C-alpha cells in the first residue's frame, strides 16, 4: 500500500471532506434530535394518515412507522442521508481522475513512478475511507442524539438502516468511478456526480406517485432497500446488498480499465 | 547504448496526424535537442515517451526497456519536465517536492534540492498558487532533478525563465551531463540548442526531417557577403554579380550576396572592382534552420 498516495489524496480532499461531513452530521443530529417532536405529535400523524400513500412514499414518510425512533429515521432522515452521502460520494468518485486532468496536475502525478492502476485504486481506497468515516461518525451522532432526545428501542435497526444508506452511497461512487476517466472537466464531473443522485432520487419519488410509474423504481438506487421492511425485520435484503456492492466494484473495474487504456490529454 | 530509441513511432488523433514515423536514437550521455516550431509534434513525441499517450504504431525503448507495457518503475530513472507544469495549488513547493521524493522512495533532505533551489533563487516555502510561471518552472526543474535520474526529458524547459535563470539552468544541465546524465530536450529556441546540444533532430509537421550533430549543421559552407563598392549605386548588372548569387539584392548602398559553395571564387570576382567596405559572416543556426525549413516546405 502506498501511504504517500493516500496521504496526498486525503490532503487534496480535506476541504470537501470536512464540508460534506459537517453537512451530513448536522442534518443527522437535527433529525435524530427532533425525532420526538414528530413522534409525539398526534396532529402530524393524523395529517399524514389523510395524505395519499404515494405522496408519503415519495417523500419517505409512512404514518405507520412514525411511531418509533427507528420508523422516523427510516423516513426523511434516511432519504436525506442517502441523498447527501450519495451526492458527495458521487462527486468524489467522478472527479477523482477528471480533476487531475482539468487542473492539469495529471502530468505531474501520472509520470511519478506509480502505475495508473495503483494511482486509481489508492484514490478509490482513500475515498472509501472518507465515506466510511463519515458513515461511522454519522451513525454515532444518530445514536447519541437518539438516546439523548428520544428512545431507541432497537439500535440494530438503526445500524442496518445506516448500513443501507452506506451501501447505496458506495454504489453512487461506483457510477462516478466508471465515468471519471472519460471526463476532462471537473465541473462536468461534479454536475454528473450530483445529477445521477438527483435523477435516481426523482425516479424513486415519481415511481411512488402512480402505479403506472412503478417501473421507474427499478432504475433508482434509492429503492434498493425497502426501509419499511428494514424497520420490521432489522435486516437488509441480499439482492440489495449484492446490487449496490456489485455496482461499486464494477464501477471501479470499468473506471480503471478506461483509465489505463486511454490517452491522458490535458 | 541508446537512452531513447524509437522506431517508426506514429500517433494519429482520429484522422489527424500527430507524428509519423519518428525514428530517434538518443545515445547515453549526450545532450540531444529536439527542435521544431509550435505544433510540429515535439510534445506528442515526448508524451509518448512518458506513456501519457499511446502510440498508434511503432516501438519505443527507453533506457533499454520496451514501453509496450506500462513501465512505472522505470520512471525512477527518468526526470520529466512538461512544457506547462501544474502542481496542487494548496501545497507549498516543499510539500510537492516531498511528495515526489517519497514516490521515488527517497527523503527530500537526502537530495541536492536545497542546493539547486539556491542556484535557481527559489523559495520552497510558498504555496504553489502564489508562484509565477517562472517559479512554477523552477519547482518543476527541482522536482525533475531530485531523484538524480539517468535520463532527463525536458519539454520547452526554459519557457518562463528569465535570461539570467536560463543561463544558470544551462550551466546546471552541462554540469549534470558531465556526471553522465542523458538529456533530451525540446525547444523552438535554436540558440539554446547551439549552446548545449551535441546532436539535434529537426521535426516539422510531425516528421523528422534531419538528425545530425549541431557542429555539422554549423559547418555549412554557406556565407553571407555584404559589399559596398567604391562606386556608388546598384552594380548588380554592371559587375555581373548574379554570376555569384542569382538572388543578390541591393539595399541602402550595400549588395547582399549568399555564397553556397567555395567563397574563394566569389571573392576573386568581387575584388576585380574597387571595394569601399566588405563583411563576410557565417549564418546563425536560426538562419540555417529557417533556410532548411523553407527548402523542405518548397519541396513538398
Amino acid at each position: 500500500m502506498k501511504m504517500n498516495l493516500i496521504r496526498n489524496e486525503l490532503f487534496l480532499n480535506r476541504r470537501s471532506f470536512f464540508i460534506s461531513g459537517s453537512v451530513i452530521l448536522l442534518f443527522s443530529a437535527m433529525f435524530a434530535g427532533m425525532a420526538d417532536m414528530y413522534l409525539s405529535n398526534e396532529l402530524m400523524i393524523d395529517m399524514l394518515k389523510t395524505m395519499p400513500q404515494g405522496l408519503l412514499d415519495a417523500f419517505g414518510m409512512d404514518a405507520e412507522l412514525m411511531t418509533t425512533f427507528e420508523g422516523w429515521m427510516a423516513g426523511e432522515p434516511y432519504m436525506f442521508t442517502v441523498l447527501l452521502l450519495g451526492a458527495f460520494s458521487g462527486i468524489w468518485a467522478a472527479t477523482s481522475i477528471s480533476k487531475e486532468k482539468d487542473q492539469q496536475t495529471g502530468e505531474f502525478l501520472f509520470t511519478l513512478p506509480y502505475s495508473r492502476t495503483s494511482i486509481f485504486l489508492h484514490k478509490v481506497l482513500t475515498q472509501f475511507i472518507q465515506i466510511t468515516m463519515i458513515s461511522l461518525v454519522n451513525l454515532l451522532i444518530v445514536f447519541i442524539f437518539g438516546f439523548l432526545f428520544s428512545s431507541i428501542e432497537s439500535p440494530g435497526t438503526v445500524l442496518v438502516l445506516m448500513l443501507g444508506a452506506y451501501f447505496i452511497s458506495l454504489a453512487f461512487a461506483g457510477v462516478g468511478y466508471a465515468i471519471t476517466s472519460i471526463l476532462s472537466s471537473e465541473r462536468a464531473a461534479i454536475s454528473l456526480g450530483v445529477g445521477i443522485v438527483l435523477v435516481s432520487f426523482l425516479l424513486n419519488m415519481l415511481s411512488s406517485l402512480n402505479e403506472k410509474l412503478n417501473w421507474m423504481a427499478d432504475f433508482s438506487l434509492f429503492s434498493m432497500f425497502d426501509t419499511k421492511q428494514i424497520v420490521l425485520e432489522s435486516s437488509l435484503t441480499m439482492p440489495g446488498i449484492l446490487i449496490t456492492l456489485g455496482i461499486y466494484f464494477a464501477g471501479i473495474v470499468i473506471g480503471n480499465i478506461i483509465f489505463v487504456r486511454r490517452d491522458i490529454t490535458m | 547504448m541508446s537512452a531513447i530509441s524509437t522506431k517508426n513511432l506514429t500517433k494519429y488523433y482520429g484522422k489527424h496526424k500527430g507524428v509519423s514515423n519518428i525514428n530517434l536514437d538518443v545515445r547515453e550521455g549526450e545532450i540531444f535537442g529536439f527542435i521544431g516550431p509550435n505544433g510540429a509534434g515535439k510534445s506528442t513525441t515526448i508524451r509518448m515517451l512518458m506513456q501519457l499517450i499511446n502510440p498508434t504504431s511503432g516501438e519505443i525503448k527507453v533506457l533499454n526497456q520496451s514501453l509496450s507495457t506500462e513501465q512505472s518503475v522505470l520512471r525512477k530513472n527518468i526526470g520529466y519536465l512538461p512544457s506547462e507544469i501544474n502542481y496542487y495549488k494548496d501545497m507549498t513547493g516543499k510539500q510537492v517536492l516531498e511528495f515526489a521524493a517519497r514516490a521515488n522512495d527517497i527523503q527530500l533532505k537526502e537530495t541536492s534540492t536545497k542546493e539547486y533551489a539556491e542556484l535557481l533563487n527559489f523559495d520552497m516555502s510558498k504555496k504553489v498558487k502564489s508562484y509565477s510561471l517562472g517559479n512554477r518552472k523552477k519547482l518543476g526543474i527541482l522536482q525533475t532533478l531530485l531523484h538524480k535520474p539517468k535520463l532527463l526529458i525536458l519539454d520547452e524547459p526554459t519557457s518562463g525563465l528569465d535570461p539570467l535563470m536560463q543561463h544558470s539552468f544551462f550551466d546546471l544541465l552541462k554540469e549534470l551531463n558531465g556526471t553522465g546524465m542523458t538529456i533530451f530536450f525540446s525547444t523552438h529556441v535554436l540558440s539554446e540548442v547551439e549552446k548545449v546540444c551535441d546532436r539535434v533532430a529537426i521535426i516539422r509537421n510531425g516528421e523528422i526531417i534531419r538528425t545530425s550533430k549541431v557542429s555539422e549543421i554549423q559547418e555549412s559552407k554557406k556565407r553571407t557577403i555584404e559589399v559596398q563598392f567604391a562606386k556608388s549605386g546598384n552594380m548588380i548588372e554592371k559587375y555581373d554579380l548574379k554570376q555569384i548569387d542569382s538572388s543578390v539584392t541591393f539595399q541602402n548602398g550595400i549588395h547582399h550576396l549568399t555564397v553556397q559553395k567555395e567563397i574563394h571564387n566569389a571573392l576573386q570576382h568581387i575584388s576585380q572592382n574597387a571595394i569601399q567596405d566588405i563583411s563576410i559572416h557565417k549564418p546563425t543556426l536560426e538562419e540555417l534552420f529557417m533556410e532548411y525549413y523553407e527548402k523542405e516546405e518548397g519541396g513538398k
Side-chain angles (χ1 to χ4, degrees):
Chain A
M1 200 189 297
K2 311 268 189 271
M3 283 311 292
N4 196 29
L5 285 173
I6 294 175
R7 256 197 308 231
N8 186 54
E9 195 64 19
L10 282 173
F11 177 85
L12 298 176
N13 290 347
R14 70 197 187 290
R15 209 165 284 159
S16 64
F17 174 69
F18 285 116
I19 292 170
S20 55
S22 307
V23 170
I24 292 168
L25 298 182
L26 192 74
F27 264 93
S28 289
M30 212 169 69
F31 278 124
M34 296 192 311
D36 264 14
M37 291 182 194
Y38 287 91
L39 297 179
S40 55
N41 191 335
E42 292 289 332
L43 274 175
M44 172 79 118
I45 291 166
D46 287 345
M47 192 185 74
L48 286 178
K49 281 177 183 168
T50 62
M51 290 170 83
Q53 189 58 39
L55 191 68
L56 293 173
D57 287 346
F59 290 96
M61 291 187 281
D62 192 313
E64 280 177 46
L65 296 179
M66 294 272 278
T67 51
T68 62
F69 180 81
E70 293 78 7
W72 159 248
M73 287 306 290
E76 258 187 284
Y78 171 82
M79 205 67 100
F80 270 96
T81 306
V82 176
L83 202 58
L84 290 172
L85 191 60
F88 286 121
S89 305
I91 291 171
W92 284 330
T95 56
S96 46
I97 299 299
S98 57
K99 188 168 67 179
E100 302 282 356
K101 289 188 195 171
D102 194 29
Q103 297 183 359
Q104 299 188 320
T105 48
E107 208 146 3
F108 163 59
L109 181 66
F110 305 147
T111 53
L112 290 173
Y114 296 123
S115 67
R116 286 196 201 178
T117 299
S118 178
I119 291 171
F120 189 82
L121 293 182
H122 280 86
K123 279 179 179 283
V124 170
L125 179 61
T126 311
Q127 287 160 16
F128 174 79
I129 293 169
Q130 291 176 189
I131 299 168
T132 307
M133 273 174 69
I134 291 179
S135 298
L136 284 173
V137 179
N138 187 43
L139 181 67
L140 198 69
I141 292 278
V142 170
F143 277 140
I144 292 170
F145 279 73
F147 279 120
L148 281 176
F149 301 107
S150 187
S151 58
I152 303 176
E153 288 168 20
S154 169
T157 303
V158 177
L159 174 74
V160 170
L161 266 174
M162 292 300 136
L163 200 60
Y166 172 67
F167 284 150
I168 295 173
S169 301
L170 288 181
F172 280 121
V175 176
Y177 293 129
I179 59 170
T180 185
S181 304
I182 303 165
L183 304 167
S184 300
S185 156
E186 189 182 357
R187 276 187 193 180
I190 292 172
S191 306
L192 273 172
V194 176
I196 288 165
V197 178
L198 287 178
V199 167
S200 189
F201 174 70
L202 282 173
L203 286 173
N204 182 56
M205 203 171 88
L206 291 172
S207 72
S208 316
L209 297 177
N210 190 308
E211 267 185 25
K212 284 180 185 171
L213 299 175
N214 279 352
W215 59 271
M216 286 186 171
D218 296 338
F219 297 94
S220 172
L221 284 169
F222 280 78
S223 60
M224 278 299 118
F225 300 109
D226 181 356
T227 48
K228 198 170 182 177
Q229 194 187 348
I230 294 174
V231 174
L232 297 174
E233 296 174 16
S234 282
S235 67
L236 292 174
T237 54
M238 196 44 79
I241 297 172
L242 290 176
I243 291 171
T244 49
L245 291 184
I247 292 172
Y248 179 61
F249 288 113
I252 294 169
V253 172
I254 292 167
N256 185 50
I257 290 171
I258 297 171
F259 180 48
V260 168
R261 290 188 181 172
R262 270 176 87 96
D263 286 347
I264 295 171
T265 47
M266 273 164 277
Chain B
M1 204 156 58
S2 294
I4 297 172
S5 159
T6 67
K7 202 173 166 186
N8 299 326
L9 189 61
T10 300
K11 177 69 185 177
Y12 272 85
Y13 298 100
K15 285 182 180 175
H16 172 74
K17 183 179 80 175
V19 294
S20 173
N21 292 314
I22 299 287
N23 291 301
L24 282 171
D25 179 32
V26 180
R27 294 164 201 154
E28 276 188 9
E30 75 175 336
I31 304 184
F32 192 98
F34 195 39
I35 51 177
N38 294 333
K42 301 186 298 292
S43 294
T44 299
T45 307
I46 287 177
R47 289 163 69 79
M48 282 192 280
L49 296 177
M50 292 310 299
Q51 296 193 294
L52 286 165
I53 55 176
N54 302 307
T56 307
S57 62
E59 293 168 21
I60 311 174
K61 271 189 174 183
V62 173
L63 298 172
N64 276 329
Q65 297 259 1
S66 169
L67 300 191
S68 53
T69 54
E70 193 178 19
Q71 300 285 352
S72 55
V73 181
L74 182 68
R75 293 189 205 125
K76 283 189 180 176
N77 291 318
I78 303 172
Y80 170 56
L81 181 68
S83 55
E84 282 177 42
I85 187 86
N86 282 289
Y87 294 103
Y88 303 113
K89 288 173 187 163
D90 285 334
M91 282 188 177
T92 63
K94 195 179 177 195
Q95 282 173 321
V96 168
L97 294 169
E98 280 171 341
F99 174 55
R102 284 194 297 267
N104 285 285
D105 297 325
I106 51 172
Q107 293 293 315
L108 186 62
K109 57 187 175 192
E110 293 167 5
T111 67
S112 309
T113 303
K114 204 177 166 190
E115 186 189 317
Y116 294 150
E118 278 168 19
L119 182 79
L120 295 171
N121 192 22
F122 177 70
D123 183 358
M124 288 192 282
S125 64
K126 288 184 180 171
K127 283 200 173 183
V128 169
K129 62 184 166 196
S130 72
Y131 288 144
S132 63
L133 172 68
N135 276 327
R136 278 211 313 272
K137 203 78 179 190
K138 288 177 189 176
L139 178 59
I141 293 168
L142 295 179
Q143 183 244 313
T144 306
L145 297 176
L146 65 83
H147 55 296
K148 287 189 180 160
K150 287 180 186 169
L151 170 66
L152 276 187
I153 297 178
L154 313 169
D155 193 2
E156 309 269 0
T158 54
S159 61
L161 292 182
D162 62 55
L164 204 65
M165 277 304 140
Q166 286 183 17
H167 187 77
S168 303
F169 175 66
F170 284 120
D171 283 347
L172 182 62
L173 283 191
K174 281 182 197 166
E175 189 189 313
L176 293 167
N177 181 241
T179 65
M181 196 181 280
T182 308
I183 298 163
F184 176 84
F185 83 92
S186 80
T187 182
H188 58 265
V189 184
L190 293 155
S191 55
E192 293 182 350
V193 168
E194 217 162 10
K195 269 181 215 164
V196 290
C197 288
D198 302 312
R199 290 195 307 141
V200 291
I202 302 171
I203 185 169
R204 185 181 66 87
N205 288 343
E207 287 172 30
I208 289 183
I209 51 175
R210 185 173 176 181
T211 306
S212 68
K213 285 184 179 175
V214 174
S215 54
E216 277 172 12
I217 297 179
Q218 287 168 323
E219 273 165 14
S220 157
K221 293 206 166 107
K222 184 182 160 184
R223 296 290 181 272
T224 306
I225 302 172
E226 289 174 352
V227 59
Q228 195 177 355
F229 291 103
K231 280 190 182 175
S232 61
N234 187 337
M235 298 294 162
I236 293 175
E237 298 297 331
K238 197 174 179 185
Y239 294 161
D240 197 15
L241 296 178
K242 286 198 173 172
Q243 201 185 315
I244 305 169
D245 174 16
S246 58
S247 58
V248 57
T249 57
F250 177 74
Q251 274 181 328
N252 303 326
I254 299 168
H255 299 81
H256 301 264
L257 301 104
T258 304
V259 182
Q260 299 287 355
K261 295 174 185 171
E262 291 300 328
I263 199 165
H264 178 256
N265 293 339
L267 289 176
Q268 216 168 27
H269 186 101
I270 291 167
S271 61
Q272 286 170 1
N273 307 291
I275 296 167
Q276 189 183 326
D277 196 8
I278 188 167
S279 68
I280 305 165
H281 57 86
K282 277 181 164 186
T284 61
L285 192 58
E286 198 96 29
E287 286 167 332
L288 286 169
F289 179 79
M290 287 312 294
E291 187 198 40
Y292 201 80
Y293 241 68
E294 280 158 13
K295 197 164 68 187
E296 286 289 319
E297 199 75 52
K300 286 267 159 182

